[in-house]
Amino acid sequence: MYTSAYPIVSVTVDTVALTIRDDRLCVLLIRRGSEPYAGSWALPGGYVEPDETLARAAARELEEETGIRVETLEQLATYGDPGRDPRGHTVSVAHLAVLPDAQEPTGGDDASEAAWRPLDELEPDELAFDHDKVLADGVERARAKLEYTNLATSFVPEEFTVSELREVYDVIWGARLDPGNFHRKVAGSTGFVEPTGRYRKGGSGRPARTFRAGPAVALNPPLTRRSVS
Amino acid sequence: MYTSAYPIVSVTVDTVALTIRDDRLCVLLIRRGSEPYAGSWALPGGYVEPDETLARAAARELEEETGIRVETLEQLATYGDPGRDPRGHTVSVAHLAVLPDAQEPTGGDDASEAAWRPLDELEPDELAFDHDKVLADGVERARAKLEYTNLATSFVPEEFTVSELREVYDVIWGARLDPGNFHRKVAGSTGFVEPTGRYRKGGSGRPARTFRAGPAVALNPPLTRRSVS
DNA sequence: TAAATAGTGTCTCTAAGACACTATCAT
DNA sequence: ATGATAGTGTCTTAGAGACACTATTTA
């Protein structure tokens, strides 16, 4: 089938897309329409096409299979154990995407179905290939990046309150951060958030100032989760 | 040449192997023996063989091309821009290795020459492919991991003094850490280093206790480089 | 002796965390 | 009024950094 000495290894991309819905961390999964693992849930992904960037391929596959378009995609890690794909030696470059809870996925292409699935209702080993491991690595990356980057702002809408931002930390770290201290930390880290000047009245209690993400990507000093976990 | 629809993308591995020699950070490079970039310096690496793990392939190529055998290899990132290899679309999974200054490389295989090259004497864009970028990413990873892991102990021999360990930080961070504070921090971080009970007399000054690496891989709290850089 | 390096003491300052307190809304 | 959430004040404590000081060697 192949005449050259080398390309016996195929290259795919997969994406761990995360969001928060109803205070639960959710991942975007598709139900596979074809073998192998037909009918199983899996991360959206597929083969890299010629002359295509890895990130570009991941974004394309994501949109083809779930209808969700994403702007920022961070490379996570590459999984290349022989035997991870029964079709033959396949190397997968995994990516991480973080979105506010907004877009609803729609199946398509190789995916008979696509959905945001809460992490806590996934069975161990439920996913196709080694996607359980990939997902776990993606979540751990997100957990870690909450500490020293403004990643949390990617989980919330463009305009948000400090409480909404704190909810991100609470959900992903499984912690209850002190509202007062969190507020001070966030407001005091230059460039983390910027006040919009507006207020949100919604629920009970004093109305909250709203903010948008600031220009700083790195938090210094970080927001530690030492006491957490 | 290929009949199947997909594997038009080849998979290679490359390794950024770092050590410290004469107080300078050095990287293990080979001089390429064949096209493309014949005669240029490059990171050791090559094609992944069927049924081979990525880390295994990196270790094999490293040994074939430099004679240096390495036990621990950490995955760094994957580089897949089309056009990064003139032979065609090639994805490279880069790895990071850290060694004490001990083994001398020997060329072999596709490498006409292999050597530890000090980072500060490399010209910008001197390396083949996108290896300048890969190297920079590898160094940045090492810099970052010094903060929150015991990676520094991988740069020194099994038995070392606190000063030798501090030298690692000084060289890689380009800083001069306070000897007193560094000593306290290292000795006070449980599991970072363990005393051997022996002393090293060598140079002038009071003899130093020697240590070996402790069981802790993570430093908590980390050793910040906030004031540095 | 002086010079050099190893290691400790101690002070200051930043920032995290606990938690009380005030502010402003809905009911 | 009560209850809820927003946001601030204040105290304690851990730990980083500056730097003085002691300890133990070589020259």
Side-chain angles (χ1 to χ4, degrees):
Chain A
M1 185 168 178
Y2 299 113
T3 54
S4 165
Y6 280 115
I8 310 171
V9 182
S10 312
V11 180
T12 62
V13 286
D14 289 304
T15 298
V16 177
L18 299 176
T19 200
I20 293 178
R21 291 205 145 177
D22 305 323
D23 292 350
R24 295 162 92 188
L25 182 58
C26 297
V27 60
L28 183 54
L29 295 179
I30 59 146
R31 198 189 280 277
R32 290 183 55 83
S34 46
E35 292 296 338
Y37 293 101
S40 285
W41 291 93
L43 297 172
Y47 287 98
V48 174
E49 293 186 354
D51 299 325
E52 192 180 39
T53 285
L54 295 170
R56 182 81 198 73
R60 175 183 52 73
E61 288 285 354
L62 189 66
E63 187 171 1
E64 285 177 8
E65 296 188 338
T66 70
I68 286 182
R69 183 172 298 178
V70 83
E71 63 306 332
T72 312
L73 223 33
E74 172 186 338
Q75 196 185 102
L76 197 55
T78 299
Y79 301 81
D81 282 357
R84 62 176 290 283
D85 187 326
R87 287 168 292 189
H89 198 173
T90 301
V91 164
S92 171
V93 183
H95 292 73
L96 177 67
V98 168
L99 297 92
D101 178 19
Q103 309 176 67
E104 205 58 42
T106 58
D109 210 59
D110 273 342
S112 60
E113 193 181 347
W116 289 109
R117 296 276 312 272
L119 277 252
D120 54 24
E121 77 178 25
L122 289 179
E123 306 290 337
D125 229 45
E126 179 181 344
L127 303 186
F129 307 104
D130 50 4
H131 287 185
D132 285 277
K133 167 71 172 149
V134 179
L135 172 57
D137 290 351
V139 171
E140 179 48 35
R141 174 75 66 94
R143 262 197 251 271
K145 290 197 78 173
L146 287 188
E147 289 198 55
Y148 58 92
T149 73
N150 66 349
L151 180 67
T153 59
S154 300
F155 279 99
V156 293
E158 203 177 333
E159 189 172 343
F160 54 86
T161 67
V162 173
S163 295
E164 288 166 355
L165 199 63
R166 178 165 44 80
E167 266 298 306
V168 174
Y169 284 87
D170 283 354
V171 167
I172 299 185
W173 283 356
R176 261 150 287 130
L177 299 184
D178 180 275
N181 293 335
F182 183 82
H183 191 282
R184 196 188 351 258
K185 173 70 182 177
V186 165
S189 298
T190 49
F192 189 7
V193 297
E194 284 175 345
T196 61
R198 284 188 290 278
Y199 287 82
R200 174 154 316 162
K201 301 220 169 194
S204 74
R206 173 176 167 180
R209 255 190 279 267
T210 64
F211 295 83
R212 59 177 147 265
V217 287
L219 261 48
N220 220 306
L223 226 157
T224 51
R225 54 173 161 159
R226 230 177 322 161
S227 52
V228 181
S229 103
Chain B
M1 187 169 177
Y2 299 113
T3 53
S4 166
Y6 278 115
I8 311 172
V9 182
S10 312
V11 180
T12 63
V13 287
D14 288 304
T15 298
V16 176
L18 299 176
T19 199
I20 293 178
R21 289 206 147 177
D22 304 324
D23 291 349
R24 296 162 90 189
L25 182 59
C26 298
V27 60
L28 183 54
L29 295 180
I30 59 146
R31 198 188 277 279
R32 288 183 56 82
S34 47
E35 291 296 338
Y37 294 102
S40 285
W41 291 93
L43 298 171
Y47 288 99
V48 173
E49 294 186 354
D51 299 326
E52 192 180 40
T53 285
L54 295 171
R56 184 77 198 76
R60 176 183 52 74
E61 288 285 353
L62 189 66
E63 187 171 1
E64 285 176 8
E65 296 187 337
T66 70
I68 286 181
R69 183 171 298 178
V70 81
E71 62 306 333
T72 312
L73 225 32
E74 173 185 338
Q75 196 185 104
L76 197 53
T78 298
Y79 301 81
D81 282 357
R84 59 176 294 281
D85 187 325
R87 287 167 292 189
H89 198 171
T90 300
V91 164
S92 170
V93 184
H95 292 73
L96 177 67
V98 168
L99 297 92
D101 177 19
Q103 308 176 70
E104 205 57 43
T106 57
D109 210 56
D110 273 342
S112 62
E113 195 181 345
W116 289 109
R117 297 275 313 271
L119 277 250
D120 54 25
E121 79 177 23
L122 289 178
E123 306 291 337
D125 230 44
E126 180 182 343
L127 303 186
F129 306 104
D130 50 3
H131 288 184
D132 284 277
K133 168 71 173 148
V134 179
L135 173 56
D137 290 351
V139 171
E140 178 48 35
R141 173 76 64 93
R143 262 197 251 272
K145 290 197 77 172
L146 287 187
E147 288 199 57
Y148 58 93
T149 72
N150 66 350
L151 181 68
T153 59
S154 300
F155 280 100
V156 292
E158 203 176 334
E159 189 172 345
F160 55 86
T161 67
V162 173
S163 295
E164 288 165 354
L165 199 62
R166 178 165 43 81
E167 266 300 304
V168 174
Y169 284 85
D170 283 355
V171 168
I172 299 185
W173 283 356
R176 258 151 288 128
L177 300 184
D178 180 275
N181 292 335
F182 183 82
H183 190 283
R184 198 187 349 259
K185 174 69 180 175
V186 166
S189 298
T190 49
F192 189 6
V193 297
E194 285 176 344
T196 61
R198 284 188 290 278
Y199 286 81
R200 174 155 316 162
K201 301 223 167 192
S204 75
R206 174 174 164 182
R209 255 191 280 267
T210 64
F211 296 83
R212 59 176 148 265
V217 287
L219 260 49
N220 221 304
L223 227 157
T224 50
R225 53 173 164 159
R226 230 177 321 162
S227 52
V228 182
S229 104

